[in-house]
Amino acid sequence: MLRDDRVTLAHGGGGKAMRDLISEVFAAVFRPEGMEDQARLADAALAEPGARLAFTTDSFVVTPLEFPGGDIGKIAVCGTVNDLVVGGARPLWLSAAFIIEEGTEIALLRRIAASMQREAEAAGVRIVTGDTKVVGRGKGDGVFVTTSGVGVIPPGREMRAELVRPGDVAIVNGVLGDHGASILAARGDMALSTDIESDCAALGHLMAAVLEAAPGARAARDATRGGLAAALNEIAGAAGVGIEIDEDALPLRDEVKGVCEILGLDPLYLANEGRLVVFVPPDQAEAAVAAMRTRPEGQGACIVGRAVAAHPGMVTMRTLFGGSRIVDMLVGEQLPRIC
């Protein structure tokens, strides 16, 4: 039985202490089938002729570990699920590996595990395998989480940035920048006071609704590190098209605009954890927006721009003053350790 209040190096030593940590904090919550060194996966979707596997992996290092609207566990599940769904896959299974610093509260680990399981159940995925490692005090940052995800792409579905064509419409599913702004405020470094919560959400159900309403959807990206600007630049570069967005159409809270004005940040580059941009043919755009708005995580869906033949590989924005400016990729990161 796990009696410690905090993690010690013994919990990473391979003995009874480690077994108790894994069994009581993680396995008891995730309920994998057995305690083997691998998960054995089976689903009817795998047997469908023409179906393909999708696989992704990501590491999460957010500070603070808990913040308004989420925690590192919620981000780990949602981020990996979203990496699968933007490629048209139905997410099915996740792995979760934890690097835990000596001295971390066991109660915090329990909250993180519970948060992960809640999000996995809501997203319709299972956490089926994982790992834990303990590092010495001062050698980590509380908890790091690495999640990998496996999903299935149905036969005939193809979503890739290279498929975007001039005229295709860019749609986002809600207000931008909430995650980055909430993390900045939660750190307390700059005495900011705000009620903004992270937008962290798994978007599998939303994407399923979009694909049903707009089966010709070309490509999607989740606007995480680097924000909407990075996602659009990735698509423009891969497709060899220009992308034009309208500043007046961007969905931004006044609070986020205020935080950015005070600190000299650009909300287009703020991280999101529950926002995506999807490109669809123009005749399917309204249907895609309407489908997004049927989901809680898509209530603020709107059209923000479109792909064009001009200036291939470049993103530009029509400003509120009627001019145009280039929206380039950041060289670095506006805010470190954001997700």
Side-chain angles (χ1 to χ4, degrees):
M1 179 177 292
L2 185 62
R3 300 183 183 278
D4 303 276
D5 293 328
R6 293 182 179 271
V7 174
T8 68
L9 290 177
H11 290 111
K16 186 177 184 302
M18 188 178 83
R19 175 63 60 164
D20 289 344
L21 178 72
I22 293 172
S23 298
E24 296 186 31
V25 175
F26 299 114
V29 176
F30 301 152
R31 300 187 298 276
E33 294 180 359
M35 293 284 285
E36 302 294 335
D37 287 337
Q38 75 289 314
R40 297 158 190 179
L41 309 177
D43 189 274
L46 296 175
E48 192 173 358
R52 291 170 294 159
L53 282 178
F55 176 71
T56 189
T57 191
D58 207 348
S59 297
F60 299 86
V61 295
V62 66
T63 300
L65 295 172
E66 297 176 296
F67 47 83
D71 53 60
I72 193 170
K74 183 176 182 179
I75 283 183
V77 171
C78 294
T80 301
V81 165
N82 294 344
D83 283 346
L84 290 170
V85 303
V86 294
R90 178 168 68 91
L92 293 172
W93 303 289
L94 301 180
S95 71
F98 301 83
I99 297 178
I100 308 165
E101 184 181 6
E102 177 188 14
T104 299
E105 293 183 352
I106 298 292
L108 171 61
L109 293 180
R110 293 186 189 277
R111 293 195 299 273
I112 291 172
S115 175
M116 294 179 75
Q117 183 61 17
R118 283 194 302 272
E119 292 306 313
E121 290 177 352
V125 300
R126 291 178 54 223
I127 301 171
V128 294
T129 190
D131 186 44
T132 62
K133 293 291 186 294
V134 178
V135 297
R137 195 181 299 268
K139 302 296 185 181
D141 195 13
V143 181
F144 297 155
V145 183
T146 296
T147 43
S148 296
V150 177
V152 175
I153 302 174
R157 180 175 297 168
E158 196 69 48
M159 291 184 66
R160 292 182 289 113
E162 293 87 347
L163 299 177
V164 173
R165 298 289 180 264
D168 289 344
V169 175
I171 303 168
V172 297
N173 64 303
V175 292
L176 302 168
D178 282 10
H179 178 71
S182 70
I183 293 294
L184 184 60
R187 287 176 181 161
D189 296 337
M190 301 181 184
L192 293 173
S193 178
T194 177
D195 295 328
I196 301 171
E197 292 191 355
S198 170
D199 55 32
C200 188
L203 302 175
H205 300 306
L206 177 135
M207 182 57 79
V210 169
L211 290 172
E212 183 175 352
R218 313 281 199 195
R221 284 286 191 279
D222 52 337
T224 52
R225 283 171 295 178
L228 179 65
L232 293 177
N233 272 279
E234 289 175 2
I235 292 173
V241 299
I243 295 175
E244 295 180 351
I245 58 175
D246 192 332
E247 185 175 13
D248 190 48
L250 295 176
L252 294 165
R253 298 187 197 279
D254 289 339
E255 297 93 328
V256 172
K257 292 179 183 177
V259 168
C260 289
E261 287 174 3
I262 291 170
L263 301 178
L265 302 176
D266 188 333
L268 282 174
Y269 298 94
L270 284 184
N272 307 271
E273 285 296 336
R275 298 292 178 256
L276 57 76
V277 57
V278 59
F279 281 79
V280 303
D283 61 336
Q284 298 181 21
E286 293 301 328
V289 171
M292 282 187 179
R293 291 176 178 171
T294 65
R295 297 290 312 169
E297 60 273 21
Q299 292 293 303
C302 62
I303 294 170
V304 295
R306 64 188 62 247
V308 297
H311 52 79
M314 184 182 296
V315 180
T316 63
M317 182 171 71
R318 186 180 302 107
T319 69
L320 295 174
F321 302 103
S324 182
R325 74 172 177 90
I326 295 173
V327 179
D328 209 347
M329 293 278 278
L330 280 177
V331 174
E333 185 77 61
Q334 285 196 121
L335 299 169
R337 309 186 78 77
I338 208 78
C339 56

